[in-house]
Short mmCIF file of all heavy atoms in Angstrom, two decimals:
data_model
loop_
_atom_site.label_atom_id
_atom_site.label_comp_id
_atom_site.label_asym_id
_atom_site.label_seq_id
_atom_site.Cartn_x
_atom_site.Cartn_y
_atom_site.Cartn_z
N PHE A 586 -0.54 -17.67 11.00
CA PHE A 586 -1.64 -16.71 10.84
C PHE A 586 -1.38 -15.46 11.69
O PHE A 586 -1.57 -14.33 11.23
CB PHE A 586 -2.97 -17.33 11.27
CG PHE A 586 -3.53 -18.32 10.29
CD1 PHE A 586 -3.64 -19.66 10.63
CD2 PHE A 586 -3.97 -17.94 9.03
CE1 PHE A 586 -4.17 -20.59 9.74
CE2 PHE A 586 -4.49 -18.85 8.14
CZ PHE A 586 -4.59 -20.18 8.49
N GLY A 587 -0.94 -15.67 12.94
CA GLY A 587 -0.71 -14.56 13.85
C GLY A 587 0.40 -13.64 13.36
O GLY A 587 0.25 -12.40 13.36
N LEU A 588 1.52 -14.23 12.93
CA LEU A 588 2.64 -13.42 12.45
C LEU A 588 2.28 -12.73 11.13
O LEU A 588 2.72 -11.61 10.87
CB LEU A 588 3.88 -14.28 12.27
CG LEU A 588 4.84 -14.40 13.47
CD1 LEU A 588 5.52 -13.08 13.75
CD2 LEU A 588 4.15 -14.91 14.72
N ALA A 589 1.48 -13.40 10.30
CA ALA A 589 1.06 -12.77 9.04
C ALA A 589 0.17 -11.57 9.31
O ALA A 589 0.32 -10.51 8.68
CB ALA A 589 0.33 -13.79 8.16
N LEU A 590 -0.78 -11.72 10.26
CA LEU A 590 -1.65 -10.58 10.60
C LEU A 590 -0.84 -9.44 11.22
O LEU A 590 -1.01 -8.27 10.87
CB LEU A 590 -2.74 -11.01 11.58
CG LEU A 590 -3.63 -9.84 12.03
CD1 LEU A 590 -4.65 -9.51 10.96
CD2 LEU A 590 -4.34 -10.14 13.35
N ALA A 591 0.08 -9.79 12.13
CA ALA A 591 0.92 -8.77 12.77
C ALA A 591 1.74 -8.04 11.72
O ALA A 591 1.83 -6.80 11.72
CB ALA A 591 1.84 -9.42 13.80
N SER A 592 2.35 -8.80 10.82
CA SER A 592 3.18 -8.19 9.78
C SER A 592 2.33 -7.35 8.83
O SER A 592 2.74 -6.26 8.42
CB SER A 592 3.93 -9.28 9.02
OG SER A 592 4.89 -8.72 8.16
N ALA A 593 1.15 -7.85 8.49
CA ALA A 593 0.25 -7.08 7.62
C ALA A 593 -0.18 -5.78 8.30
O ALA A 593 -0.23 -4.73 7.65
CB ALA A 593 -0.98 -7.92 7.26
N SER A 594 -0.47 -5.85 9.61
CA SER A 594 -0.82 -4.64 10.35
C SER A 594 0.34 -3.66 10.36
O SER A 594 0.17 -2.45 10.12
CB SER A 594 -1.20 -5.00 11.80
OG SER A 594 -1.40 -3.84 12.58
N GLN A 595 1.54 -4.20 10.58
CA GLN A 595 2.73 -3.35 10.59
C GLN A 595 2.90 -2.64 9.24
O GLN A 595 3.15 -1.44 9.18
CB GLN A 595 3.95 -4.23 10.91
CG GLN A 595 5.22 -3.46 11.16
CD GLN A 595 6.06 -3.31 9.91
OE1 GLN A 595 5.98 -4.10 8.99
NE2 GLN A 595 6.87 -2.28 9.87
N TRP A 596 2.74 -3.40 8.16
CA TRP A 596 2.95 -2.81 6.83
C TRP A 596 1.79 -1.91 6.41
O TRP A 596 2.00 -0.91 5.71
CB TRP A 596 3.17 -3.91 5.79
CG TRP A 596 4.50 -4.57 5.93
CD1 TRP A 596 4.75 -5.86 6.30
CD2 TRP A 596 5.79 -3.97 5.73
NE1 TRP A 596 6.09 -6.10 6.35
CE2 TRP A 596 6.76 -4.95 6.00
CE3 TRP A 596 6.21 -2.69 5.38
CZ2 TRP A 596 8.12 -4.71 5.90
CZ3 TRP A 596 7.57 -2.44 5.28
CH2 TRP A 596 8.51 -3.44 5.54
N LEU A 597 0.57 -2.24 6.82
CA LEU A 597 -0.58 -1.39 6.51
C LEU A 597 -0.39 0.00 7.12
O LEU A 597 -0.50 1.03 6.43
CB LEU A 597 -1.87 -2.02 7.05
CG LEU A 597 -3.12 -1.14 6.99
CD1 LEU A 597 -3.50 -0.84 5.54
CD2 LEU A 597 -4.29 -1.81 7.72
N TRP A 598 -0.08 0.03 8.43
CA TRP A 598 0.08 1.32 9.10
C TRP A 598 1.39 1.99 8.72
O TRP A 598 1.49 3.22 8.71
CB TRP A 598 -0.07 1.14 10.61
CG TRP A 598 -1.44 0.67 10.98
CD1 TRP A 598 -1.80 -0.55 11.45
CD2 TRP A 598 -2.65 1.41 10.83
NE1 TRP A 598 -3.16 -0.63 11.62
CE2 TRP A 598 -3.70 0.57 11.24
CE3 TRP A 598 -2.95 2.70 10.39
CZ2 TRP A 598 -5.04 0.97 11.24
CZ3 TRP A 598 -4.28 3.11 10.38
CH2 TRP A 598 -5.30 2.25 10.80
N ASN A 599 2.38 1.18 8.40
CA ASN A 599 3.64 1.71 7.87
C ASN A 599 3.37 2.47 6.56
O ASN A 599 3.88 3.57 6.34
CB ASN A 599 4.61 0.55 7.60
CG ASN A 599 6.05 0.98 7.63
OD1 ASN A 599 6.38 2.09 7.24
ND2 ASN A 599 6.93 0.09 8.07
N PHE A 600 2.54 1.87 5.71
CA PHE A 600 2.15 2.49 4.44
C PHE A 600 1.43 3.82 4.69
O PHE A 600 1.74 4.84 4.09
CB PHE A 600 1.24 1.54 3.65
CG PHE A 600 0.52 2.19 2.49
CD1 PHE A 600 1.19 2.46 1.31
CD2 PHE A 600 -0.81 2.54 2.59
CE1 PHE A 600 0.55 3.07 0.24
CE2 PHE A 600 -1.47 3.15 1.53
CZ PHE A 600 -0.79 3.41 0.35
N VAL A 601 0.45 3.78 5.61
CA VAL A 601 -0.33 5.00 5.90
C VAL A 601 0.59 6.10 6.43
O VAL A 601 0.54 7.25 5.96
CB VAL A 601 -1.44 4.69 6.92
CG1 VAL A 601 -2.13 5.98 7.37
CG2 VAL A 601 -2.47 3.73 6.32
N VAL A 602 1.43 5.76 7.41
CA VAL A 602 2.30 6.76 8.02
C VAL A 602 3.30 7.31 7.01
O VAL A 602 3.52 8.53 6.92
CB VAL A 602 3.03 6.17 9.25
CG1 VAL A 602 4.11 7.12 9.75
CG2 VAL A 602 2.04 5.87 10.37
#
Side-chain angles (χ1 to χ4, degrees):
F586 286 114
L588 269 292
L590 177 78
S592 189
S594 174
Q595 189 266 335
W596 289 113
L597 171 65
W598 296 110
N599 205 326
F600 167 77
V601 172
V602 170

